[in-house]
């Protein structure tokens, strides 16, 4: 079965009592057992049956099993936000005295999780330019529990080769963890690229038009003890499991992902091409443009599509604000991969509470607008941007 078929036809874990076609929302906290022995078996994981929805729920299981079938992973855990997927994964891998090697080019909350929250518990974060492999190699040591990176960074759109990071991480027994939110995990095999654990904000492409927050941990089973710790420790003790209502919406989103992503990534490329012709646009950054420095590498790694996020640079921060204020169709909002197109000035918003020096280190420029391209007609989107940007 091809993935778009599998996304719709992955069978339920157990036949539904009423043979519902789509997995119903099992809006229940607890599940009953026939007798005490079966109950003991379920609690001690000798049999697979849900007991309490903080750690297992049939609707969530069906969503997880569909993702598992599509990714070929050994375990998939659905959590209540992308940040929960990232924090639970890193909490499961790290401990006091351990370190994580990563980039300065990170989603803002991930950066703060690493450099503020985990730092308070004695986990050291070592920031490297991941495009300089010698620098990465010099920072990874026997206490490194993970090398963490984003496949296409936001908003810099930098691409590094996971295969090279994997070689460095694995030589020292560290896990390679990839945040793959920017390109749907169905478009490529992270495992084939050497990634041990994939984390995804399913709030974005998967949710199906920004219906709900969610996160996925896609575990290829290559890190000793990780899957067991996620299930037996993280879900129980941190309580960030996805709710059945959200799993229902995100499963529906997954069913239409291939169709939506095809349109959105094509429109992003078309917009990137057209925006280059506007005199007020200093630069268009999109990995799909053939002259982008990461185009060849990204094509090799992630295939023929490059996501639905791009950035444009205007003359100044004031020019960016003016353009944003003039938009009539495109929404001034954060989030990515909604059905509607969104625009934001990252330096003053997502990264607004970082110091100017930190923003400079992260290469978040004052002149950049980020666009997340939706499902509208590309002509309408271009026309809105053209009128907003021109004098
Ligand atoms: C949005 C996002 C996250 C955080 O996901 P939430 O679902 O908002 O918690 C993490 N990484 C990347 C790359 C994102 O775009």
């Amino acid at each position: 079965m091809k993935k778009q078929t599998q996304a719709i036809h992955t069978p339920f874990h157990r036949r539904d009592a009423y043979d519902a076609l789509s997995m119903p929302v099992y809006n229940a906290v607890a599940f009953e057992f026939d007798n005490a022995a079966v109950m003991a078996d379920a609690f001690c994981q000798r049999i697979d049956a849900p007991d309490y929805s903080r750690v297992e729920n049939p609707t969530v299981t069906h969503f997880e099993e569909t993702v598992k079938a599509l990714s070929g992973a050994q375990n998939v855990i659905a959590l209540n936000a992308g940040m929960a997927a990232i924090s639970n994964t890193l909490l499961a891998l790290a401990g006091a005295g351990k370190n994580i090697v990563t980039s300065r080019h990170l989603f803002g909350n991930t950066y703060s999780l690493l450099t503020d929250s985990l730092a308070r518990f004695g986990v050291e974060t070592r920031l490297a330019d991941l495009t300089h492999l010698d620098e990465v190699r010099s920072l990874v040591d026997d206490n490194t529990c993970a090398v963490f990176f984003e496949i296409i960074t936001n908003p810099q759109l930098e691409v590094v080769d996971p295969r090279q990071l994997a070689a460095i991480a694995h030589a020292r027994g560290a896990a390679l963890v990839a945040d793959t939110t920017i390109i749907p995990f169905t478009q490529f095999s992270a495992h084939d690229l050497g990634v041990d654990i994939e984390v995804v904000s399913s709030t974005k492409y998967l949710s199906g038009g920004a219906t709900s927050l969610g996160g996925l941990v896609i575990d290829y089973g290559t890190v000793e003890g990780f899957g067991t710790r996620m299930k037996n420790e993280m879900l129980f003790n941190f309580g960030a499991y996805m709710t059945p209502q959200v799993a229902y919406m995100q499963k529906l989103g997954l069913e239409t992902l291939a169709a939506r992503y095809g349109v959105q990534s094509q429109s992003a490329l078309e917009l990137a091409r057209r925006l280059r012709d506007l005199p007020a646009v200093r630069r268009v950054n999109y990995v799909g443009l053939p002259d982008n420095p990461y185009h060849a590498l990204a094509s090799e790694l992630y295939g023929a599509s490059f996501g639905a996020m791009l950035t444009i640079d205007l003359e100044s921060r004031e020019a960016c604000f003016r353009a944003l204020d003039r938009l009539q169709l495109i929404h001034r909002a954060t989030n990515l991969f909604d059905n509607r197109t969104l625009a934001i000035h990252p330096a003053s918003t997502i990264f607004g509470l970082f110091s100017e020096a930190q923003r400079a280190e992260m290469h978040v420029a004052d002149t950049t607008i980020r666009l997340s391209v939706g499902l509208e007609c590309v002509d309408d989107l271009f026309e809105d941007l053209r009128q907003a940007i021109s004098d």
Side-chain angles (χ1 to χ4, degrees), residues 7 28 43 55 91 147 172-173 188 209 212 222 300 318 345:
F43 272 70
V55 293
L91 285 164
V147 173
R172 291 300 190 104
F188 63 98
S212 48
T222 42
E300 188 189 338
E318 291 66 38
H345 180 253

Side-chain angles (χ1 to χ4, degrees), residues 30-309:
F31 299 85
E32 196 181 8
F33 297 93
D34 281 348
N35 57 56
V38 174
M39 190 172 185
D41 284 343
F43 272 70
C44 300
Q45 293 169 17
R46 289 186 289 268
I47 60 164
D48 187 13
D51 49 60
Y52 192 66
S53 286
R54 174 159 26 84
V55 293
E56 192 174 339
N57 174 283
T59 314
V60 186
T61 299
H62 178 58
F63 177 51
E64 291 170 330
E65 289 194 343
T66 307
V67 173
K68 198 167 134 174
L70 290 168
S71 62
Q74 196 172 91
N75 308 295
V76 172
I77 294 180
L79 296 151
N80 63 22
M83 282 317 300
I86 295 168
S87 58
N88 279 257
T89 295
L90 295 178
L91 285 164
L93 291 170
K98 297 286 185 190
N99 68 73
I100 295 166
V101 174
T102 187
S103 164
R104 287 180 191 85
H105 297 165
L106 287 177
F107 182 70
N109 298 128
T110 307
Y111 182 88
S112 166
L113 166 73
L114 286 160
T115 58
D116 300 327
S117 313
L118 290 178
R120 286 194 287 108
F121 294 91
V123 179
E124 185 198 350
T125 291
R126 299 178 176 176
L127 300 171
D129 177 345
L130 297 185
T131 64
H132 287 115
L133 294 172
D134 285 339
E135 194 183 331
V136 181
R137 209 172 283 114
S138 73
L139 292 177
V140 174
D141 62 23
D142 292 338
N143 287 322
T144 304
C145 60
V147 173
F148 182 95
F149 75 108
E150 297 175 9
I151 55 166
I152 300 182
T153 70
N154 163 12
Q156 308 84 3
L157 295 118
E158 173 189 279
V159 182
V160 287
D161 191 336
R163 296 167 296 193
Q164 290 173 329
L165 294 179
I168 296 171
H170 295 159
R172 291 300 190 104
L176 183 63
V177 182
D179 179 335
T180 63
T181 301
I182 297 295
I183 304 260
F185 68 87
T186 46
Q187 295 294 307
F188 63 98
S189 166
H191 185 48
D192 287 351
L193 299 175
V195 171
D196 297 296
I197 301 159
E198 221 177 327
V199 288
V200 177
S201 168
S202 54
T203 311
K204 311 293 166 54
Y205 287 119
L206 257 82
S207 73
T211 58
S212 48
L213 285 157
L216 289 167
V217 177
I218 303 177
D219 165 23
Y220 291 98
T222 42
V223 178
E224 211 175 313
F226 176 77
T228 316
R229 183 174 279 179
M230 278 302 294
K231 261 218 123 78
N232 291 356
E233 200 180 309
M234 310 315 293
L235 289 184
F236 282 99
N237 300 351
F238 288 90
Y241 194 51
M242 186 174 273
T243 62
Q245 296 85 354
V246 166
Y248 179 82
M249 289 188 274
Q250 301 216 339
K251 171 62 186 18
L252 282 184
L254 187 53
E255 291 179 7
T256 60
L257 174 66
R260 288 182 289 111
Y261 180 69
V263 173
Q264 286 173 276
S265 55
Q266 264 311 109
S267 294
L269 177 60
E270 181 57 28
L271 263 190
R273 285 190 185 125
R274 293 195 202 174
L275 285 165
R276 287 220 282 204
D277 295 336
L278 297 181
V281 175
R282 296 271 168 106
R283 176 181 181 222
V284 177
N285 194 4
Y286 183 61
V287 179
L289 291 172
D291 56 0
N292 183 284
Y294 295 112
H295 180 72
L297 179 60
S299 310
E300 188 189 338
L301 297 170
Y302 305 119
S305 62
F306 304 90
M309 180 182 80

